[in-house]
Amino acid sequence: MDMLENEKLIMKDGHQILAVKYLKNAKIVIYFFSASWVENTRDLVDKLKTLYDENLKRNTKMEIIYVSADTEETHFQKDLSKQGPWAAIPFKNNAADTLRWRYDITCLPQIVVVKKDGSIISRKGKDELEKLGINVIVTWSDYVQT
């Protein structure tokens, strides 16, 4: 993915990983746009965790990246600790602004699902996940040729 080609991502435990390494086997990237101050995201994060686990079982080659809009690092770190086992754009990294601009994120939380090349599968990922649950894997995977 060209936008993240030279970027590092941060994992929940604090270690960093190159985005190209993290996305090496991914066919689909799920961008989860949120922030610590966004209310009532626990249910959504739980659904993402369930989706992530099911993705691993089915080997559907999806990866999630958390993109925070936090302006204070302590808030970012606290919110990151509540996320699942996926990567995040590090605090105050320009890639977060670039992703919000590219995918026209105007409210939070939002989930944008893209192919590895960045082309959009769904801008309504949050609504689709809430409506379909883990079955959204089938819907999103249909957009990717095997």
Side-chain angles (χ1 to χ4, degrees), residues 4 7 10 13 45 59 62 92 103-104 110 113 115:
L4 299 177
E7 297 292 336
I10 189 168
D13 65 6
V45 170
N59 194 28
M62 294 181 184
K92 287 288 188 184
Y103 297 116
D104 195 26
Q110 287 271 345
V113 184
K115 294 180 188 177

Side-chain angles (χ1 to χ4, degrees), residues 38-95:
V38 177
E39 296 181 10
N40 302 319
T41 60
R42 184 175 181 180
D43 185 51
L44 183 58
V45 170
D46 287 344
K47 287 179 181 179
L48 279 170
K49 287 177 183 177
T50 302
L51 175 69
Y52 190 82
D53 290 343
E54 189 65 23
N55 161 60
L56 293 176
K57 288 179 193 172
R58 295 186 191 191
N59 194 28
T60 52
K61 300 184 187 309
M62 294 181 184
E63 289 295 346
I64 299 172
I65 297 177
Y66 175 61
V67 185
S68 175
D70 279 309
T71 57
E72 293 186 32
E73 189 166 11
T74 54
H75 294 162
F76 168 79
Q77 293 296 337
K78 184 177 179 182
D79 204 39
L80 180 61
S81 72
K82 297 176 185 177
Q83 297 299 313
W86 47 80
I89 302 292
F91 180 72
K92 287 288 188 184
N93 184 302
N94 290 337

Side-chain angles (χ1 to χ4, degrees), residues 24-40:
K24 179 181 171 186
N25 296 316
K27 291 186 177 182
I28 296 172
V29 180
I30 301 166
Y31 289 112
F32 175 41
F33 296 90
S34 192
S36 63
W37 44 265
V38 177
E39 296 181 10
N40 302 319

